[in-house]
Coordinates of all heavy atoms in Angstrom, one line a residue:
M738 N -6.8 12.5 2.6 CA -7.4 12.9 1.4 C -8.6 12.0 1.0 O -8.6 10.8 1.2 CB -6.3 12.7 0.3 CG -6.6 13.1 -1.1 SD -5.4 12.8 -2.4 CE -4.3 14.1 -2.1
K739 N -9.5 12.6 0.4 CA -10.8 11.8 0.0 C -10.6 11.4 -1.4 O -9.8 12.0 -2.2 CB -12.0 12.8 0.1 CG -12.4 13.1 1.6 CD -13.6 14.1 1.4 CE -13.8 14.8 2.7 NZ -14.8 15.9 2.6
C740 N -11.5 10.5 -1.8 CA -11.4 10.0 -3.2 C -11.7 11.1 -4.2 O -11.0 11.2 -5.3 CB -12.5 8.9 -3.5 SG -12.1 7.4 -2.6
E741 N -12.5 12.1 -3.9 CA -12.8 13.2 -4.7 C -11.7 14.1 -4.9 O -11.4 14.7 -5.9 CB -14.1 14.0 -4.1 CG -15.4 13.3 -4.3 CD -15.7 12.2 -3.2 OE1 -14.8 12.0 -2.4 OE2 -16.8 11.6 -3.3
E742 N -10.9 14.3 -3.8 CA -9.7 15.2 -3.9 C -8.7 14.6 -4.8 O -8.0 15.2 -5.5 CB -9.2 15.4 -2.5 CG -10.0 16.2 -1.7 CD -9.7 16.3 -0.2 OE1 -9.3 15.3 0.4 OE2 -9.7 17.5 0.3
L743 N -8.6 13.2 -4.7 CA -7.6 12.5 -5.5 C -8.0 12.6 -7.0 O -7.2 12.8 -7.9 CB -7.6 11.0 -5.1 CG -6.4 10.2 -5.7 CD1 -5.7 9.5 -4.6 CD2 -7.0 9.3 -6.8
L744 N -9.3 12.6 -7.3 CA -9.8 12.7 -8.6 C -9.5 14.1 -9.2 O -9.0 14.2 -10.3 CB -11.4 12.5 -8.7 CG -12.0 12.7 -10.0 CD1 -11.5 11.8 -11.1 CD2 -13.6 12.4 -10.0
A745 N -9.7 15.1 -8.4 CA -9.4 16.5 -8.7 C -7.9 16.6 -9.1 O -7.6 17.2 -10.1 CB -9.8 17.4 -7.7
M746 N -7.1 15.9 -8.4 CA -5.6 16.0 -8.5 C -5.2 15.2 -9.9 O -4.3 15.7 -10.5 CB -5.0 15.4 -7.3 CG -3.6 15.8 -7.0 SD -2.9 14.9 -5.7 CE -2.3 16.3 -4.7
L747 N -6.0 14.2 -10.1 CA -5.7 13.4 -11.3 C -6.1 14.2 -12.5 O -5.4 14.2 -13.6 CB -6.5 12.2 -11.2 CG -5.9 10.9 -11.8 CD1 -4.4 10.7 -11.3 CD2 -6.8 9.7 -11.5
N748 N -7.1 15.0 -12.5 CA -7.5 15.9 -13.6 C -6.4 17.0 -13.9 O -6.1 17.2 -15.0 CB -8.8 16.6 -13.2 CG -10.0 15.8 -13.6 OD1 -10.1 15.2 -14.7 ND2 -11.0 15.7 -12.6
E749 N -5.7 17.4 -12.8 CA -4.7 18.3 -13.0 C -3.5 17.6 -13.6 O -2.6 18.2 -14.3 CB -4.3 19.0 -11.6 CG -5.2 20.1 -11.2 CD -4.9 20.7 -9.9 OE1 -3.7 20.9 -9.7 OE2 -5.8 20.8 -9.0
Y750 N -3.3 16.4 -13.2 CA -2.2 15.6 -13.7 C -2.4 15.4 -15.2 O -1.5 15.5 -16.0 CB -2.3 14.2 -13.0 CG -1.3 13.2 -13.6 CD1 0.1 13.4 -13.8 CD2 -1.8 11.9 -13.8 CE1 0.9 12.5 -14.2 CE2 -0.9 10.9 -14.4 CZ 0.5 11.2 -14.5 OH 1.4 10.3 -15.0
V751 N -3.6 15.2 -15.6 CA -3.9 15.0 -17.1 C -3.7 16.3 -17.8 O -3.1 16.3 -18.9 CB -5.4 14.6 -17.3 CG1 -5.8 14.8 -18.7 CG2 -5.7 13.2 -16.8
D752 N -3.8 17.4 -17.1 CA -3.5 18.7 -17.7 C -2.1 19.1 -17.7 O -1.7 20.0 -18.3 CB -4.3 19.9 -17.0 CG -5.8 19.8 -17.4 OD1 -6.2 19.2 -18.3 OD2 -6.6 20.3 -16.5
G753 N -1.3 18.2 -17.0 CA 0.2 18.5 -17.0 C 0.6 19.5 -15.9 O 1.7 19.8 -15.9
S754 N -0.3 19.9 -15.1 CA 0.1 20.9 -14.1 C 0.7 20.3 -12.9 O 1.4 21.1 -12.2 CB -1.2 21.8 -13.7 OG -2.3 21.1 -13.5
I755 N 0.4 19.1 -12.6 CA 1.1 18.6 -11.4 C 1.5 17.0 -11.6 O 1.0 16.5 -12.5 CB 0.3 18.5 -10.1 CG1 -1.1 17.8 -10.4 CG2 0.1 19.9 -9.5 CD1 -1.8 17.3 -9.1
D756 N 2.4 16.6 -10.8 CA 2.7 15.1 -10.9 C 2.3 14.5 -9.5 O 3.0 14.6 -8.5 CB 4.2 14.9 -11.1 CG 4.5 13.5 -11.2 OD1 3.6 12.6 -11.0 OD2 5.7 13.2 -11.5
P757 N 1.2 13.8 -9.4 CA 0.7 13.4 -8.2 C 1.6 12.2 -7.6 O 1.5 12.0 -6.4 CB -0.7 12.7 -8.6 CG -0.7 12.5 -10.0 CD 0.3 13.5 -10.6
A758 N 2.5 11.7 -8.4 CA 3.3 10.6 -8.0 C 4.3 11.2 -6.8 O 4.8 10.4 -6.0 CB 4.2 10.0 -9.1
V759 N 4.5 12.4 -6.9 CA 5.4 13.0 -5.9 C 4.7 13.6 -4.6 O 5.4 14.0 -3.7 CB 6.4 14.2 -6.4 CG1 7.2 13.7 -7.6 CG2 5.4 15.4 -6.9
C760 N 3.5 13.4 -4.7 CA 2.7 13.9 -3.5 C 2.4 12.7 -2.5 O 1.8 11.7 -2.8 CB 1.3 14.4 -4.0 SG 0.2 14.9 -2.7
D761 N 2.8 13.0 -1.3 CA 2.7 12.0 -0.2 C 1.3 11.6 0.2 O 0.9 10.4 0.3 CB 3.4 12.4 1.0 CG 4.9 12.3 1.0 OD1 5.4 11.5 0.0 OD2 5.7 12.9 1.8
A762 N 0.4 12.6 0.1 CA -1.0 12.3 0.5 C -1.6 11.5 -0.6 O -2.5 10.6 -0.3 CB -1.8 13.8 0.6
F763 N -1.2 11.7 -1.8 CA -1.7 10.9 -2.9 C -1.3 9.5 -2.8 O -2.2 8.6 -2.9 CB -1.1 11.6 -4.3 CG -1.8 11.0 -5.6 CD1 -2.9 11.7 -6.1 CD2 -1.2 9.9 -6.1 CE1 -3.3 11.1 -7.4 CE2 -1.7 9.4 -7.3 CZ -2.8 10.1 -7.9
K764 N -0.1 9.3 -2.5 CA 0.4 7.9 -2.4 C -0.2 7.2 -1.2 O -0.5 6.0 -1.3 CB 2.0 8.0 -2.3 CG 2.7 8.0 -3.6 CD 4.2 7.8 -3.4 CE 4.9 9.1 -3.0 NZ 6.3 9.0 -3.1
E765 N -0.3 7.9 -0.1 CA -0.9 7.4 1.0 C -2.4 6.9 0.8 O -2.8 5.9 1.2 CB -0.9 8.5 2.1 CG -0.5 8.0 3.5 CD -0.3 9.1 4.4 OE1 -1.3 9.6 5.0 OE2 0.8 9.6 4.5
H766 N -3.1 7.8 0.1 CA -4.5 7.4 -0.2 C -4.6 6.1 -1.1 O -5.3 5.2 -0.8 CB -5.2 8.5 -1.0 CG -6.6 8.2 -1.3 ND1 -7.7 8.6 -0.4 CD2 -7.1 7.5 -2.3 CE1 -8.8 8.2 -0.9 NE2 -8.5 7.4 -2.1
L767 N -3.6 6.1 -2.1 CA -3.6 4.9 -3.0 C -3.4 3.6 -2.3 O -3.9 2.5 -2.6 CB -2.6 5.1 -4.1 CG -3.0 6.1 -5.2 CD1 -2.0 5.9 -6.4 CD2 -4.4 5.7 -5.7
T768 N -2.5 3.7 -1.2 CA -2.2 2.5 -0.4 C -3.4 1.9 0.1 O -3.5 0.6 0.2 CB -1.2 2.9 0.7 OG1 -0.1 3.6 0.1 CG2 -0.5 1.6 1.4
G769 N -4.3 2.7 0.6 CA -5.5 2.1 1.2 C -6.8 2.1 0.5 O -7.8 1.8 1.0
C770 N -6.8 2.4 -0.9 CA -8.0 2.6 -1.6 C -7.8 1.9 -2.9 O -7.2 2.4 -3.9 CB -8.3 4.0 -1.8 SG -9.9 4.2 -2.6
N771 N -8.3 0.6 -3.0 CA -8.1 -0.1 -4.3 C -8.8 0.5 -5.5 O -8.2 0.5 -6.5 CB -8.6 -1.6 -4.0 CG -8.2 -2.5 -5.2 OD1 -9.0 -2.8 -6.1 ND2 -7.0 -2.8 -5.3
P772 N -10.0 0.9 -5.3 CA -10.7 1.5 -6.5 C -9.9 2.7 -7.2 O -9.8 2.8 -8.3 CB -12.1 2.0 -6.0 CG -12.3 1.2 -4.9 CD -11.1 0.9 -4.2
C773 N -9.3 3.5 -6.4 CA -8.5 4.6 -6.8 C -7.2 4.0 -7.4 O -6.8 4.7 -8.5 CB -8.1 5.6 -5.7 SG -9.5 6.6 -5.1
Q774 N -6.6 3.1 -6.9 CA -5.4 2.5 -7.5 C -5.7 2.0 -8.9 O -4.9 2.4 -9.8 CB -5.1 1.2 -6.7 CG -4.0 1.4 -5.6 CD -3.8 0.1 -4.9 OE1 -3.6 -1.0 -5.5 NE2 -3.7 0.2 -3.6
V775 N -6.8 1.4 -9.2 CA -7.1 0.9 -10.5 C -7.3 2.0 -11.4 O -6.7 2.0 -12.6 CB -8.4 0.1 -10.4 CG1 -8.8 -0.4 -11.8 CG2 -8.2 -1.2 -9.5
V776 N -8.0 3.1 -11.0 CA -8.3 4.2 -11.9 C -7.0 4.9 -12.3 O -6.7 5.3 -13.4 CB -9.3 5.1 -11.3 CG1 -9.5 6.4 -12.2 CG2 -10.6 4.4 -11.1
V777 N -6.2 5.1 -11.3 CA -4.9 5.9 -11.4 C -3.9 5.1 -12.3 O -3.4 5.7 -13.3 CB -4.3 6.2 -10.0 CG1 -2.8 6.7 -10.3 CG2 -5.1 7.2 -9.3
D778 N -3.8 3.8 -12.1 CA -2.9 3.0 -12.9 C -3.4 3.1 -14.4 O -2.6 3.3 -15.4 CB -3.0 1.5 -12.6 CG -2.2 1.2 -11.4 OD1 -1.4 2.1 -10.9 OD2 -2.2 0.1 -10.9
N779 N -4.7 3.0 -14.7 CA -5.2 3.1 -16.0 C -4.9 4.3 -16.7 O -4.5 4.4 -17.8 CB -6.7 2.8 -15.8 CG -7.3 2.2 -17.1 OD1 -7.5 2.9 -18.1 ND2 -7.5 1.0 -17.0
I780 N -5.2 5.4 -16.0 CA -4.9 6.8 -16.6 C -3.4 7.0 -16.8 O -3.0 7.5 -17.9 CB -5.4 7.9 -15.6 CG1 -7.0 7.9 -15.8 CG2 -4.9 9.3 -16.1 CD1 -7.6 8.1 -17.1
R781 N -2.6 6.6 -15.9 CA -1.1 6.7 -16.1 C -0.6 6.0 -17.3 O 0.3 6.5 -18.1 CB -0.4 6.1 -14.9 CG -0.3 7.1 -13.7 CD 1.1 6.8 -13.0 NE 1.2 7.7 -11.8 CZ 1.0 7.3 -10.6 NH1 1.0 6.0 -10.3 NH2 1.2 8.1 -9.6
Q782 N -1.1 4.7 -17.4 CA -0.8 4.0 -18.6 C -1.1 4.6 -19.9 O -0.4 4.7 -20.8 CB -1.4 2.6 -18.5 CG -0.6 1.5 -17.8 CD -1.4 0.3 -17.5 OE1 -2.4 0.0 -18.3 NE2 -1.1 -0.4 -16.5
T783 N -2.3 5.2 -19.9 CA -2.8 5.9 -21.1 C -1.9 7.0 -21.5 O -1.5 7.2 -22.6 CB -4.3 6.3 -20.9 OG1 -5.0 5.2 -20.5 CG2 -4.8 6.9 -22.3
I784 N -1.5 7.9 -20.5 CA -0.7 9.0 -20.7 C 0.7 8.6 -21.1 O 1.2 9.1 -22.1 CB -0.7 9.8 -19.4 CG1 -2.0 10.5 -19.1 CG2 0.4 11.0 -19.5 CD1 -2.1 11.3 -17.9
T785 N 1.2 7.6 -20.4 CA 2.5 7.1 -20.8 C 2.7 6.6 -22.2 O 3.5 6.8 -23.0 CB 3.0 6.0 -19.8 OG1 2.8 6.5 -18.5 CG2 4.4 5.6 -20.0
L786 N 1.6 5.8 -22.6 CA 1.6 5.3 -24.0 C 1.6 6.4 -24.9 O 2.2 6.4 -26.0 CB 0.3 4.4 -24.1 CG 0.3 3.0 -23.6 CD1 -1.1 2.3 -24.0 CD2 1.4 2.2 -24.4
Y787 N 0.8 7.4 -24.6 CA 0.7 8.5 -25.6 C 1.9 9.3 -25.7 O 2.4 9.6 -26.8 CB -0.4 9.5 -25.0 CG -0.6 10.6 -26.1 CD1 -1.5 10.5 -27.2 CD2 0.1 11.8 -26.0 CE1 -1.6 11.5 -28.2 CE2 -0.1 12.8 -26.9 CZ -0.9 12.6 -28.0 OH -1.0 13.6 -29.0
R788 N 2.6 9.6 -24.6 CA 3.8 10.4 -24.6 C 5.0 9.5 -25.0 O 6.1 10.1 -25.3 CB 4.1 10.9 -23.2 CG 3.1 12.1 -22.9 CD 3.4 12.5 -21.4 NE 2.7 13.7 -21.1 CZ 2.5 14.1 -19.9 NH1 2.9 13.3 -18.8 NH2 1.9 15.2 -19.5
E789 N 4.9 8.2 -24.8 CA 6.0 7.3 -25.1 C 7.3 7.8 -24.4 O 8.4 7.8 -24.8 CB 6.4 7.2 -26.6 CG 5.3 6.5 -27.3 CD 5.5 6.4 -28.8 OE1 6.0 7.4 -29.4 OE2 5.1 5.3 -29.4
G790 N 7.1 8.2 -23.1 CA 8.2 8.6 -22.2 C 8.7 10.0 -22.4 O 9.5 10.5 -21.7
K791 N 8.2 10.7 -23.4 CA 8.7 12.0 -23.6 C 7.7 13.1 -23.0 O 6.5 12.8 -23.1 CB 8.7 12.4 -25.2 CG 9.9 11.5 -25.8 CD 9.7 11.5 -27.3 CE 10.4 10.4 -28.0 NZ 9.6 9.8 -29.1
P792 N 8.2 14.1 -22.5 CA 7.4 15.1 -21.7 C 6.6 16.0 -22.6 O 6.7 17.2 -22.5 CB 8.4 15.8 -20.9 CG 9.7 15.8 -21.6 CD 9.6 14.5 -22.4
Y793 N 5.8 15.5 -23.5 CA 5.0 16.3 -24.5 C 3.8 16.8 -23.8 O 3.2 16.1 -23.0 CB 4.6 15.5 -25.7 CG 5.7 15.3 -26.7 CD1 5.9 14.0 -27.3 CD2 6.7 16.2 -26.9 CE1 6.9 13.7 -28.2 CE2 7.7 16.0 -27.8 CZ 7.9 14.7 -28.4 OH 8.8 14.5 -29.3
E794 N 3.3 17.9 -24.1 CA 2.1 18.4 -23.7 C 1.0 17.6 -24.5 O 1.1 17.3 -25.7 CB 1.9 19.9 -24.2 CG 2.5 20.9 -23.2 CD 1.5 21.5 -22.2 OE1 0.3 21.6 -22.6 OE2 1.9 21.8 -21.1
L795 N -0.1 17.3 -23.7 CA -1.2 16.5 -24.5 C -2.1 17.6 -25.1 O -2.3 18.6 -24.6 CB -2.1 15.8 -23.4 CG -1.3 14.7 -22.6 CD1 -2.1 14.2 -21.5 CD2 -0.7 13.5 -23.4
P796 N -2.5 17.1 -26.4 CA -3.4 18.1 -27.1 C -4.7 18.3 -26.3 O -5.1 17.3 -25.6 CB -3.7 17.3 -28.4 CG -2.7 16.3 -28.5 CD -2.2 16.0 -27.0
V797 N -5.4 19.4 -26.3 CA -6.5 19.7 -25.6 C -7.7 18.6 -25.8 O -8.2 18.1 -24.9 CB -7.1 21.0 -26.0 CG1 -8.5 21.3 -25.3 CG2 -6.1 22.1 -25.5
A798 N -7.8 18.2 -27.1 CA -8.9 17.2 -27.4 C -8.6 15.9 -26.7 O -9.5 15.2 -26.1 CB -9.0 16.9 -28.9
F799 N -7.3 15.5 -26.6 CA -7.0 14.3 -25.9 C -7.1 14.3 -24.4 O -7.6 13.4 -23.7 CB -5.5 14.0 -26.3 CG -5.1 12.6 -25.8 CD1 -5.5 11.4 -26.3 CD2 -4.2 12.5 -24.6 CE1 -5.1 10.2 -25.8 CE2 -3.8 11.3 -24.1 CZ -4.3 10.1 -24.7
R800 N -6.8 15.6 -23.9 CA -7.0 15.7 -22.5 C -8.5 15.7 -22.1 O -8.9 15.1 -21.1 CB -6.5 17.1 -22.1 CG -5.0 17.0 -21.7 CD -4.2 18.3 -21.7 NE -5.0 19.5 -21.5 CZ -4.4 20.7 -21.6 NH1 -3.3 20.8 -22.1 NH2 -5.1 21.8 -21.3
E801 N -9.3 16.3 -23.0 CA -10.8 16.2 -22.7 C -11.3 14.8 -22.7 O -12.1 14.4 -21.9 CB -11.5 17.2 -23.7 CG -11.5 18.5 -23.3 CD -12.0 19.5 -24.3 OE1 -12.5 19.0 -25.4 OE2 -11.9 20.7 -24.2
H802 N -10.8 14.1 -23.6 CA -11.1 12.7 -23.8 C -10.7 12.0 -22.5 O -11.4 11.1 -22.0 CB -10.4 12.1 -25.0 CG -10.5 10.6 -25.1 ND1 -11.6 9.9 -25.5 CD2 -9.6 9.6 -24.7 CE1 -11.3 8.6 -25.4 NE2 -10.1 8.4 -25.0
L803 N -9.5 12.2 -22.1 CA -9.0 11.6 -20.8 C -9.9 12.0 -19.6 O -10.2 11.1 -18.7 CB -7.5 12.0 -20.5 CG -6.5 11.0 -21.1 CD1 -5.1 11.6 -20.6 CD2 -6.7 9.6 -20.5
H804 N -10.3 13.2 -19.5 CA -11.1 13.7 -18.4 C -12.4 12.9 -18.4 O -12.8 12.4 -17.3 CB -11.4 15.2 -18.5 CG -10.3 16.1 -18.1 ND1 -9.8 16.0 -16.8 CD2 -9.6 17.1 -18.7 CE1 -8.8 16.9 -16.7 NE2 -8.7 17.5 -17.9
A805 N -13.0 12.7 -19.6 CA -14.2 12.0 -19.6 C -14.0 10.5 -19.3 O -14.8 9.9 -18.5 CB -14.8 12.1 -21.1
A806 N -12.9 9.9 -19.8 CA -12.6 8.5 -19.4 C -12.4 8.3 -17.9 O -12.8 7.3 -17.3 CB -11.5 8.0 -20.2
L807 N -11.7 9.4 -17.3 CA -11.4 9.3 -15.9 C -12.7 9.3 -15.1 O -12.9 8.5 -14.2 CB -10.6 10.6 -15.6 CG -9.9 10.8 -14.3 CD1 -9.1 9.6 -14.0 CD2 -9.0 12.0 -14.3
R808 N -13.6 10.2 -15.5 CA -14.9 10.3 -14.8 C -15.7 9.0 -14.8 O -16.2 8.5 -13.9 CB -15.7 11.5 -15.3 CG -15.5 12.7 -14.6 CD -16.7 13.7 -14.8 NE -16.7 13.9 -16.2 CZ -15.9 14.9 -16.9 NH1 -15.1 15.6 -16.2 NH2 -16.1 15.1 -18.1
R809 N -15.7 8.4 -16.0 CA -16.4 7.2 -16.3 C -15.8 6.0 -15.4 O -16.6 5.3 -14.8 CB -16.3 6.9 -17.8 CG -17.5 6.1 -18.4 CD -17.6 6.2 -19.8 NE -16.4 5.9 -20.5 CZ -15.7 6.7 -21.4 NH1 -16.3 7.8 -21.7 NH2 -14.7 6.3 -21.8
R810 N -14.5 5.9 -15.6 CA -13.9 4.8 -14.7 C -14.1 5.0 -13.2 O -14.3 4.1 -12.4 CB -12.4 4.8 -15.0 CG -12.0 4.3 -16.4 CD -10.8 3.7 -16.5 NE -10.5 3.5 -17.9 CZ -10.9 2.4 -18.6 NH1 -11.5 1.5 -17.9 NH2 -10.7 2.2 -19.8
W811 N -14.0 6.3 -12.8 CA -14.2 6.6 -11.4 C -15.6 6.2 -11.0 O -15.7 5.5 -9.9 CB -14.0 8.1 -11.3 CG -13.7 8.5 -9.9 CD1 -14.6 8.8 -8.8 CD2 -12.4 8.5 -9.4 NE1 -13.8 9.0 -7.7 CE2 -12.5 8.8 -8.0 CE3 -11.1 8.3 -9.9 CZ2 -11.4 9.0 -7.2 CZ3 -10.0 8.4 -9.1 CH2 -10.2 8.8 -7.8
Q812 N -16.6 6.4 -11.8 CA -18.0 6.0 -11.5 C -18.1 4.5 -11.5 O -18.8 4.0 -10.7 CB -18.9 6.7 -12.4 CG -19.3 8.1 -11.9 CD -19.8 9.0 -13.1 OE1 -20.1 8.5 -14.2 NE2 -19.9 10.3 -12.8
E813 N -17.4 3.9 -12.4 CA -17.6 2.4 -12.5 C -17.0 1.8 -11.2 O -17.5 0.9 -10.6 CB -16.7 1.9 -13.6 CG -17.4 1.9 -15.0 CD -16.4 1.6 -16.1 OE1 -15.3 1.0 -15.8 OE2 -16.6 1.9 -17.2
K814 N -15.8 2.3 -10.8 CA -15.1 1.8 -9.6 C -15.7 2.2 -8.3 O -15.6 1.4 -7.3 CB -13.6 2.3 -9.6 CG -12.8 1.7 -10.7 CD -12.7 0.2 -10.6 CE -12.2 -0.5 -12.0 NZ -12.5 -1.8 -12.0
H815 N -16.3 3.5 -8.2 CA -16.7 3.9 -7.0 C -18.2 3.8 -6.8 O -18.8 4.0 -5.8 CB -16.3 5.4 -6.7 CG -14.9 5.5 -6.5 ND1 -13.9 5.4 -7.4 CD2 -14.2 5.7 -5.2 CE1 -12.7 5.5 -6.9 NE2 -12.8 5.7 -5.6
G816 N -18.9 3.4 -8.0 CA -20.3 3.2 -7.9 C -21.0 4.5 -7.4 O -20.7 5.6 -7.8
H817 N -22.0 4.3 -6.6 CA -22.8 5.4 -6.1 C -22.5 5.6 -4.6 O -23.3 6.2 -3.9 CB -24.4 5.3 -6.3 CG -24.7 5.1 -7.8 ND1 -24.7 6.2 -8.6 CD2 -25.0 4.1 -8.6 CE1 -25.0 5.9 -9.9 NE2 -25.2 4.5 -9.8
E818 N -21.3 5.1 -4.2 CA -21.0 5.4 -2.8 C -20.8 6.8 -2.5 O -20.4 7.6 -3.3 CB -19.6 4.7 -2.6 CG -19.6 3.3 -2.3 CD -18.2 2.7 -2.2 OE1 -17.6 3.1 -1.2 OE2 -17.8 2.0 -3.1
N819 N -21.1 7.1 -1.3 CA -21.0 8.5 -0.8 C -19.8 8.6 0.0 O -19.6 7.9 1.0 CB -22.3 8.9 0.0 CG -22.4 10.4 -0.1 OD1 -21.5 11.2 -0.2 ND2 -23.6 10.9 0.2
H820 N -18.9 9.5 -0.4 CA -17.6 9.6 0.4 C -17.5 10.8 1.2 O -16.5 11.6 1.2 CB -16.4 9.6 -0.6 CG -16.2 8.2 -1.3 ND1 -15.6 7.2 -0.7 CD2 -16.7 7.8 -2.4 CE1 -15.6 6.2 -1.4 NE2 -16.2 6.4 -2.5
N821 N -18.5 11.0 1.9 CA -18.5 12.2 2.9 C -17.6 11.8 4.1 O -17.4 12.5 5.0 CB -19.9 12.7 3.3 CG -20.6 13.3 2.2 OD1 -20.1 13.9 1.3 ND2 -21.9 13.0 2.2
Ligands
LIG1481 ZN1 -10.0 6.5 -3.1

């Protein structure tokens, strides 16, 4: 899995459509990619804090905010590296 694929998966996670924690490819990538680890931890914490452990749907505005934060952190961590 590439960093970009992981980011796409994380966007779906924010939307509540998947749980990347159960995906082996996701976990495997995180094991070897520190920038992705940092971004994923951060987003998970934000979602967990919001839900306080309950499986609530996130409001659209909050999801959009998270998507933006996700992209920003991603760019901070990955810089202008090219992941072809
Ligand atoms: Zn990565």
Side-chain angles (χ1 to χ4, degrees):
M738 184 185 281
K739 294 178 195 167
C740 291
E741 285 82 359
E742 288 171 317
L743 192 131
L744 175 61
M746 210 180 226
L747 215 50
N748 274 315
E749 288 180 44
Y750 174 51
V751 169
D752 289 339
S754 46
I755 55 155
D756 184 358
V759 299
C760 176
D761 283 345
F763 189 94
K764 279 191 276 194
E765 223 169 87
H766 181 96
L767 283 189
T768 309
C770 187
N771 189 258
C773 284
Q774 269 178 40
V775 174
V776 176
V777 169
D778 277 357
N779 206 280
I780 288 300
R781 274 215 186 110
Q782 273 170 23
T783 308
I784 293 176
T785 304
L786 278 179
Y787 184 86
R788 287 176 172 161
E789 292 178 323
K791 295 166 200 140
Y793 289 140
E794 279 261 332
L795 300 174
V797 173
F799 185 74
R800 274 165 23 195
E801 279 171 6
H802 168 79
L803 265 186
H804 281 302
L807 192 53
R808 267 194 303 276
R809 213 165 43 236
R810 291 201 187 279
W811 204 267
Q812 275 156 11
E813 279 169 19
K814 292 297 167 197
H815 289 77
H817 298 286
E818 276 175 71
N819 202 337
H820 289 277
N821 292 325

